[in-house]
Amino acid sequence: MHRHEVVVVGAGLAGQRAALAAVEAGREVAIVSKLHPLRSHSGAAQGGINAAVGKEDSVDTHIYDTVKGSDYLGDQDAIEHFCREAGPTVIEMEHFGTIFSRAPDGSLARRAFGGAGFPRTIYAADRTGLALLQGLWEHLGTARFTLYQEWDVTQLVVRDGRVQGIVAFDRKTGDFTGIAAKSVVLATGPAGRIYGRTTNAHSCTGDGIAVAYEAGAQLKDMEFVQFHPTALLESSILITEGARGEGGILKNAAGERFMSKYAPHVLELASRDVVSRAIVTEVLGGHGFDGPYGQYVHLELMHLGKEKVESRLQEICDYSRRFAGIDPVTQPIPVYPAQHYMMGGISTDIRGATNVAGLFAAGEAACVSIHGANRLGGNSLLETLVFGKEAGMAAAAFAAKTGTSEVTPADVDAAAAPSRAWSNRSDGEDPSALRTEMQRTMERYVGIYRTEADLLEGLQRIRAVRQRFANVRVVDRSHVYNLNLTDALETGHMLELAETIVVGAYARTESRGAHSRVDFPKRDDARWMKHTIATRGPDGPALSYAPVAYTRWEPKERVY
Ligand SMILES: Cc1cc2nc3c(=O)[nH]c(=O)nc-3n(C[C@H](O)[C@H](O)[C@H](O)COP(=O)(O)OP(=O)(O)OC[C@H]3O[C@@H](n4cnc5c(N)ncnc54)[C@H](O)[C@@H]3O)c2cc1C
């Protein structure tokens, strides 16, 4: 049994920033991560991080763009705090060692991003996430905390009205171990692998959101799932919005620049939900290209010239050449939308606190909410840092005034029991087959366009897969890097969350941001200007609703 004051689960940008804040507050800290920290999905972020710096831009415009982008579901008090912290956060990251791209005059270079009224996305070529992660990792310094690497947290221990710690599974040995903590920060990142087509890494399985939900934490706005308009066909590798920010254009099979029909003012730089729906509408209308990997549209960069494409979009060139066999300098890139981001997550306040005492959350696993119904590109990297710091400080303050916590051998046994049962079965379901079935179901019935009939069908199918999961079997009995077992653990987590997405989407009879109901095509502020809260009950998620915080911006129709 191990014991620490503050335990941070996850070592991406949110987790590292939380750990740094807790260390600086004088607490003793451990990070538990299923990956090497620098392999976290934050490192895959390409396009950049938003901050209103320089004279021409303003914090108020950033706030307004974020509120509008959220389709008025974002909490305006949280958004105001978030946008005010943006400039200082980016400068701090630069001081920590992140090397950003520069304009010719030496100032921070900025590019245009979707839904932004001003080019305010600061970047490091098209590998911004990795540059930030490296800078933060070096600054944090491994000497200041304990690292449990390749440990998967499978359960939170909550007793006497507060968090007592966690139970984790060590991939290297197959052992389950308890770690007592006075406070816990969950920074476990995305859950995109619930969908078949996703830009998210294989590790993005929503574990932290699921363990929080199982321990009684409330989830917020799970039905809002962002699809990125431009993922490379077949592999679904992301083609950053920065490609359109640099001047890339979209064309259908008739050679039409179709965005003029959907967003006449800003064209390809409309918000992500708008561009994704436009692409799907074009394809459904018979204007897509057809290929062995499905239908698609073209993203053209050729007119930008070799020099610009190869210097500003180095990774995009590399991915297109390696994974699609085409050269974006001379050929169009075949793209189609793919799941990209979860607006929903563990419900927190501005300080990262959840409804469970001692439990905090930050980053993509959390929902504050600043993204509301639709996130703007470049706001998520910023979110990890601003709210990672908040959660770290709050967890440190909580730990400072809290007595000893306890994780008992019985807690560890209880957490390990399901996995033992899965391994002891002589017959049962293959976790990877269940995962594929879940992904296909979510893709087909809970995608970009939704209807009541589809959502009902989706819910029945997800519940059927959950029932089959009760009889899941792990055939590999080995203790060392048992991927069959981690697959089962992750699939269980994702099934739990998939159900909350469908139930929330079925209940919300309006269209707002990324949630687009064909049978309820309009936003309905009178009935639905509220957050969905999901609490785990004996028969699945129980829904309730919470008000949206307003400060200065009245809801308006959202046009680009
Ligand atoms: C391809 C791609 C490009 C993107 N580009 C941009 C961009 O340009 N700009 C922008 O603002 N946003 C972008 N985003 C979104 C943004 O990168 C993410 O939302 C953000 O980085 C998530 O950070 P995080 O710290 O919350 O999670 P992550 O960086 O994913 O870290 C999660 C951590 O949790 C750990 N973990 C997970 N489960 C467990 C478990 N059970 N036990 C222990 N540890 C666990 C992992 O090991 C990992 O260390 C992009 C996302 C993707 C997928």
Side-chain angles (χ1 to χ4, degrees), residues 272-313:
R272 287 180 178 171
D273 54 336
V274 176
V275 184
S276 291
R277 278 196 293 275
I279 295 175
V280 174
T281 309
E282 287 297 307
V283 164
L284 291 177
H287 309 302
F289 295 92
D290 236 333
Y293 304 113
Q295 295 190 305
Y296 59 92
V297 297
H298 275 163
L299 171 64
E300 293 190 357
L301 305 178
M302 297 96 78
H303 57 287
L304 302 178
K306 184 176 164 70
E307 151 67 26
K308 188 167 183 180
V309 174
E310 288 190 339
S311 65
R312 300 277 184 88
L313 301 165

Side-chain angles (χ1 to χ4, degrees), residues 472-494:
V472 73
R473 180 182 177 215
V474 171
V475 281
D476 184 352
R477 302 272 175 94
S478 63
H479 294 285
V480 180
Y481 289 105
N482 185 336
L483 296 181
N484 192 195
L485 178 54
T486 42
D487 189 21
L489 288 166
E490 291 173 343
T491 302
H493 292 152
M494 289 191 286

Side-chain angles (χ1 to χ4, degrees), residues 131-343:
L132 290 167
L133 205 56
Q134 286 277 359
L136 187 53
W137 181 242
E138 285 168 25
H139 181 82
L140 179 58
T142 47
R144 295 201 280 177
F145 64 95
T146 308
L147 177 64
Y148 297 92
Q149 188 176 299
E150 297 188 327
W151 282 43
D152 289 42
V153 172
T154 61
Q155 204 151 45
L156 277 172
V157 180
V158 178
R159 209 179 3 255
D160 303 332
R162 70 174 171 91
V163 159
Q164 304 283 335
I166 56 155
V167 178
F169 161 79
D170 182 351
R171 291 187 175 194
K172 298 177 286 299
T173 62
D175 293 334
F176 282 83
T177 309
I179 305 181
K182 294 179 176 179
S183 60
V184 171
V185 180
L186 291 174
T188 46
R193 287 279 153 182
I194 293 174
Y195 283 82
R197 270 190 222 231
T198 176
T199 64
N200 287 190
H202 285 276
S203 59
C204 299
T205 52
D207 306 348
I209 313 175
V211 302
Y213 178 61
E214 285 162 2
Q218 294 177 335
L219 306 188
K220 195 193 286 162
D221 294 337
M222 290 298 286
E223 64 270 33
F224 294 100
V225 178
Q226 177 164 86
F227 288 79
H228 196 289
T230 58
L232 199 59
L233 205 66
E234 194 200 352
S235 61
S236 288
I237 292 174
L238 179 72
I239 303 295
T240 173
E241 196 161 291
R244 281 169 287 134
E246 297 292 349
I249 59 175
L250 291 166
K251 285 195 180 162
N252 64 17
E256 250 181 300
R257 194 174 171 189
F258 57 86
M259 279 312 298
S260 58
K261 288 186 277 180
Y262 304 91
H265 302 296
V266 294
L267 300 156
E268 284 81 4
L269 287 177
S271 199
R272 287 180 178 171
D273 54 336
V274 176
V275 184
S276 291
R277 278 196 293 275
I279 295 175
V280 174
T281 309
E282 287 297 307
V283 164
L284 291 177
H287 309 302
F289 295 92
D290 236 333
Y293 304 113
Q295 295 190 305
Y296 59 92
V297 297
H298 275 163
L299 171 64
E300 293 190 357
L301 305 178
M302 297 96 78
H303 57 287
L304 302 178
K306 184 176 164 70
E307 151 67 26
K308 188 167 183 180
V309 174
E310 288 190 339
S311 65
R312 300 277 184 88
L313 301 165
Q314 299 161 11
E315 301 268 292
I316 298 311
C317 287
D318 196 39
Y319 297 146
S320 305
R321 287 167 187 158
R322 277 173 198 264
F323 294 98
I326 65 113
D327 184 351
V329 172
T330 54
Q331 294 167 291
I333 310 176
V335 293
Y336 193 78
Q339 189 286 345
H340 183 57
Y341 186 86
M342 295 292 180
M343 268 71 76

